[in-house]
């Protein structure tokens, strides 16, 4: 128990140092996580205990905590295994306990790990270990052949002196390869001075990897997106990728560590070269490439997460009837009209891209749907035939008097949803393409509510996502979606099971039970009604209640992010400031924060029984109950006319929407079928370390056209206006 306590204290101190936190913050967060509290709940409702740590920092903290606990568990397992062998010295135990990474622990464990039959183990079976140790220690200067001769013949199956010496050399080579300190230094030298190289397997072949056909770059300078590109080129058998290590420097280092005189120099030089090239280099290369890949993947996952956050947090277009259009050629464009609540009002199929003869009929049908349902906006998917569909829509809109606009919507993942079990359950009578049209329309109305139905990996705002550790990617992106959903909150009386399942403390089963309860009783009138839901116990209620909203319920605080545990504090605050719950119900108290100006926040917080962070959160909610944090983001650009790539000219300045952010730049929708690229060098007049430091997905930006390649459909843009 003392060792467990010591390990916990070490982890706590390390986390405090790495995250620049006070000891009390670390202790509180560890306790909160171990009690089963979710990250969104801790971030929002335990600010006093965490020092107002953000959800992003808390997730990084939790991930690092898991790694350090796994590291401690690995150390215990390794020390136990070595102790069972009777080989755990106090010095080795101290080395293992001080190891900072799993790689270091594995290096120390290597000599004691059960091995498959190697050249060294075969030599030991033949009785050659004593000879190897004599030569290794370099104390006995007797002629090597004479020493080896003693192990030839007799009961031994060693036939010649050369056989004996070769077996001894194999044993010594493994000794070199198993030494943890040597591996550590070689890994460091290779990472610092090695070159990452790539060659084309067929230099005459055309591919997207041509820039890597004769590639060389220092390992420590290789950017993440290049690492992932090389990995993919290698996986597709187009590239041969390797690491060129500073071999001479490594061999000299080993010789300095091992050779103590001239008597055995030639033999040991041969052993060292064999140990490095046969046993050490291949595994070190794999480890370094693995580390490079992991770091590149972590960077790509981070970028994907940031992009996904911005996409999910785009403002909803409330109160509008939307017509979703899923473009296609031969099979026709699928249309779905959804009202302001997302309810499907009508569907149709038209064929404006199948030939000029069918355009009049398609126009007529589109006009009928617009007039019948008072459509405000047409959302056009950006897939196949999107450009042709856009031109058709613009021509049709010019022929009607109604003020209807359109927007191109990123339809990534719509087909995944359409073919999913969830899509089938939601629209059993629709074919796959009609479900896509509904999804396209709804994702314009409320991106968050619709996109949670789709696997985050399929939403299309990352790079190389299919080449990554899929479990790690899914975990990270699920965390992003959870944070977004809980930041916004959901109306428990209208939310889908998909949306509810991302709420803190609610499983997929409980989400379905909430919907079942709603259908059976009509609606939730009070947050306490949640306790009547099957399998939603007190702990789950504590975690979820603050994130679920009830509009028009019995208690106006139920339509805020104020947690039920703080209702008494909120009511006390209202009384102290001369307000009542009725004032909240009538639309909020916009001036409530002004009433507190000049007063002692610490004293006021103490009076109502909460901390200052919670006091500020309560004030914010009472001022604007039911507010949507997404409303602060820029609204999407609605269009009424079409722009083609041939209409562009170098020097033109246009307004566009950021569609994707990657390591080397930003893709911007400027209203033509092809997104333009703003290279990282064109993002600002100042140095930009990463595009995310300048822009986010969904941002509306001004860009200048700096290059056009009509044949390859490439548009170069600049934000350096």
């Amino acid at each position: 128990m003392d060792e467990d306590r010591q390990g916990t204290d070490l982890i706590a101190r390390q986390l405090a140092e790495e995250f620049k936190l006070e000891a009390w913050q670390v202790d509180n967060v560890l306790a909160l996580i171990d009690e089963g509290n979710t990250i969104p709940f801790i971030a929002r409702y335990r600010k006093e205990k965490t020092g107002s740590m953000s959800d992003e920092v808390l997730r990084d903290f939790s991930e690092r905590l898991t790694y350090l606990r796994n590291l401690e568990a690995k150390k215990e397992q390794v020390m136990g295994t070595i102790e069972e062998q009777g080989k755990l010295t106090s010095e080795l135990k101290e080395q293992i306990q001080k190891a900072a990474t799993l790689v270091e622990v594995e290096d120390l464990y290597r000599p004691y790990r059960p091995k498959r039959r190697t050249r060294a183990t075969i030599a030991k079976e033949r009785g050659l270990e004593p000879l190897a140790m004599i030569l290794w220690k370099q104390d006995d200067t007797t002629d090597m052949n004479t020493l080896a001769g003693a192990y030839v013949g007799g009961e031994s199956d060693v036939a010649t002196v050369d056989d004996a010496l070769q077996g001894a050399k194999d044993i010594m080579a493994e000794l070199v390869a198993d030494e943890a300190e040597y591996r550590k230094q070689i890994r460091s030298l290779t990472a610092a001075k090695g070159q990452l190289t790539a060659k084309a397997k067929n230099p005459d072949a055309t591919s997207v990897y041509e820039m890597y056909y004769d590639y060389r770059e220092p390992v420590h300078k290789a950017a993440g997106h290049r690492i992932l590109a090389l990995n993919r080129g290698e996986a597709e058998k187009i590239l041969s990728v390797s690491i060129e290590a500073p071999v001479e420097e490594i061999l000299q280092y080993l010789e300095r560590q091992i050779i103590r005189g001239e008597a055995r120099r030639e033999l040991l030089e041969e052993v060292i070269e064999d140990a490095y090239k046969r046993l050490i280099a291949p595994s070190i290369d794999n480890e370094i490439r693995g580390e490079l890949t992991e770091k590149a993947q972590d960077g790509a996952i981070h970028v994907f997460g940031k992009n996904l956050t911005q996409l999910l947090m785009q403002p909803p277009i409330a109160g509008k009837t939307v017509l979703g259009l899923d473009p296609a050629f031969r099979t026709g464009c699928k249309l779905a009209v959804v009202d302001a609540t997302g309810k499907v009002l009508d569907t149709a199929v038209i064929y404006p891209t199948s030939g000029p003869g069918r355009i009049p009929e398609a126009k007529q049908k589109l006009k009928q749907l617009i007039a019948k349902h008072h459509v405000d906006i047409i959302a056009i998917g950006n897939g196949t035939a999107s450009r042709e569909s856009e031109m058709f829509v613009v021509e049709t809109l010019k022929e009607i008097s109604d003020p209807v606009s359109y927007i191109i919507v990123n339809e990534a993942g719509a087909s995944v949803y359409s073919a999913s079990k969830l899509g089938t359950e939601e629209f059993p009578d629709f074919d796959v393409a009609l479900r896509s049209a509904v999804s396209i329309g709804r994702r314009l109305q409320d991106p968050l509510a619709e996109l949670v139905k789709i696997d985050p990996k399929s939403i299309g705002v990352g790079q190389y996502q299919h080449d990554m550790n899929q479990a790690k990617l899914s975990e990270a992106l699920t965390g992003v979606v959870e944070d977004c959903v809980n930041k916004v909150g959901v109306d428990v009386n209208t939310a889908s099971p998909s949306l509810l399942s991302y709420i803190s403390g609610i499983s997929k089963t409980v989400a379905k039970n909430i919907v079942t309860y709603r259908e059976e009783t009509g609606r939730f009138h009070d947050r306490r009604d949640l306790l009547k839901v099957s399998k939603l116990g007190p702990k789950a209620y504590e975690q979820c209640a603050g994130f679920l909203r009830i509009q028009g319920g019995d208690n106006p605080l139920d339509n805020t992010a104020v947690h039920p545990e703080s209702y008494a504090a909120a009511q006390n605050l209202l009384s102290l400031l001369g307000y009542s719950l009725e004032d909240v119900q009538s639309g909020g108290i916009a001036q409530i924060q002004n009433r507190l100006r000049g007063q002692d926040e610490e004293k006021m917080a103490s009076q109502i029984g909460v901390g200052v962070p919670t006091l500020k959160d309560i004030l914010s909610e009472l001022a604007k109950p039911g507010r949507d944090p997404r409303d602060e983001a820029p609204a999407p650009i609605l269009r009424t006319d079409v722009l083609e790539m041939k209409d562009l000219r170098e020097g033109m300045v246009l307004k566009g929407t950021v569609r994707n952010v990657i390591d080397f730049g930003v893709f911007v929708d400027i209203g033509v079928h092809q997104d333009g690229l703003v290279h990282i060098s064109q993002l600002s007049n100042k140095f930009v370390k990463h595009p995310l430091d300048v822009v986010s997905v969904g941002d509306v930006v001004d860009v200048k056209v700096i290059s056009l390649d009509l044949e390859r459909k490439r548009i170069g843009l600049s934000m350096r206006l």
Side-chain angles (χ1 to χ4, degrees), residues 298-518:
D298 287 346
I301 289 171
H302 174 75
V303 172
F304 200 148
K306 289 288 187 184
N307 288 344
L308 182 60
T309 298
Q310 296 301 325
L311 184 64
L312 295 175
M313 295 298 285
Q314 285 189 80
I317 294 184
K320 302 291 184 183
T321 299
V322 176
L323 186 150
L325 189 155
D326 184 17
F329 285 113
R330 183 180 54 81
T331 56
C333 298
K334 311 304 186 293
L335 310 179
V337 181
V338 290
D339 70 9
T341 66
K343 178 184 175 183
V344 180
L345 301 176
D346 213 335
T347 62
V349 181
I350 58 176
Y351 298 86
T353 57
S354 299
R358 307 196 72 173
I359 289 178
E361 178 189 351
K363 281 186 176 181
Q364 186 62 29
K365 186 61 182 176
L366 182 58
K367 290 175 185 177
Q368 287 174 356
L369 289 173
I370 291 171
K372 179 180 177 182
H373 302 291
H374 306 290
V375 170
D376 299 298
I377 305 168
I378 299 174
I380 305 170
N382 67 341
T384 304
S386 172
R387 185 65 182 160
E388 292 76 9
S389 298
E390 179 188 8
M391 295 178 75
F392 159 75
V393 166
V394 169
E395 286 177 15
T396 307
L397 294 183
K398 287 177 179 176
E399 297 174 10
I400 63 174
S401 57
D402 298 321
V404 180
S405 53
Y406 78 91
I407 186 169
I408 303 296
V409 174
N410 186 343
E411 66 176 51
S415 59
V416 175
Y417 158 75
S418 303
S420 69
K421 181 182 177 185
L422 178 60
T424 305
E425 289 174 354
E426 195 168 4
F427 300 107
D429 299 328
F430 287 9
D431 72 13
V432 171
L434 278 177
R435 291 179 200 141
S436 285
V438 175
S439 180
I440 289 166
R442 283 179 170 179
R443 68 173 60 187
L444 177 64
Q445 291 178 317
D446 191 339
L448 182 61
E450 191 61 25
L451 290 171
V452 294
K453 300 174 184 177
I454 300 164
D455 180 350
K457 297 195 298 291
S458 301
I459 293 176
V461 286
Q463 57 178 346
Y464 301 106
Q465 56 261 43
H466 302 296
D467 302 329
M468 296 183 205
N469 179 319
Q470 295 301 295
K472 194 171 186 178
L473 177 62
S474 292
E475 184 181 354
L477 297 184
T478 298
V480 167
V481 179
E482 283 177 358
D483 290 340
C484 291
V485 172
N486 287 283
K487 196 170 287 181
V488 172
V490 305
D491 185 340
V492 72
N493 282 315
T494 60
S496 68
S498 304
L499 195 56
L500 289 166
S501 67
Y502 281 105
I503 288 292
S504 169
I506 295 182
S507 65
K508 289 184 178 180
T509 300
V510 172
K512 289 180 180 177
N513 291 344
I514 288 174
V515 174
T516 300
Y517 177 90
R518 190 172 75 202

Side-chain angles (χ1 to χ4, degrees), residues 115-302:
K115 290 183 172 71
R116 58 180 176 80
R117 290 188 83 228
T118 63
R119 282 162 49 172
T121 55
I122 293 168
K124 289 176 182 178
E125 290 167 4
R126 299 173 75 188
L128 295 171
E129 189 169 17
L131 172 62
M133 298 316 297
I134 292 170
L135 297 171
W136 180 252
K137 290 177 182 177
Q138 306 171 55
D139 296 329
D140 190 333
T141 57
T142 305
D143 178 69
M144 285 189 301
N145 291 335
T146 302
L147 289 171
Y151 296 86
V152 176
E155 294 182 7
S156 167
D157 67 345
V158 180
T160 67
V161 167
D162 286 344
D163 282 350
L165 287 174
Q166 184 58 54
K169 286 189 284 189
D170 288 340
I171 293 169
M172 288 189 284
E174 196 165 274
L175 284 174
V176 176
D178 283 350
E179 175 56 50
E181 184 60 28
Y182 298 166
R183 298 183 70 86
K184 181 179 178 181
Q185 291 299 324
I186 292 168
R187 189 182 294 111
S188 178
L189 277 169
T190 306
K193 299 185 178 182
Q195 296 278 323
L196 185 63
T197 69
K199 297 284 184 185
K201 290 192 172 182
N202 179 5
D204 298 325
T206 301
S207 80
V208 295
Y209 303 104
E210 287 176 31
M211 67 178 290
Y212 298 109
Y213 278 11
D214 190 14
Y215 162 84
R216 172 181 294 271
E217 183 175 23
V219 167
H220 67 276
K221 288 187 176 180
H225 63 274
R226 291 198 288 275
I227 299 293
L228 297 175
L230 289 168
N231 289 353
R232 181 181 286 184
E234 186 177 44
E236 294 176 10
K237 303 191 185 308
I238 294 171
L239 301 175
S240 295
V241 184
S242 62
I243 291 177
E244 289 183 4
V247 177
E248 289 305 314
E249 191 171 346
I250 289 169
L251 293 178
Q252 288 170 13
Y253 159 75
L254 290 172
E255 289 167 9
R256 289 195 301 273
Q257 305 305 309
I258 295 167
I259 301 175
R260 296 199 304 275
E262 296 302 315
R264 304 280 184 243
R265 175 170 290 278
E266 188 176 343
L267 173 81
L268 290 172
E269 284 177 351
E270 187 181 340
V271 166
I272 288 167
E273 186 170 359
D274 176 52
Y276 173 67
K277 292 184 176 178
R278 179 170 60 88
L279 300 175
I280 300 175
S283 62
I284 293 291
D285 287 359
N286 286 337
E287 286 171 17
I288 289 177
R289 286 200 61 194
E291 288 170 9
L292 289 173
T293 298
E294 185 175 7
K295 187 177 178 182
Q297 289 184 355
D298 287 346
I301 289 171
H302 174 75

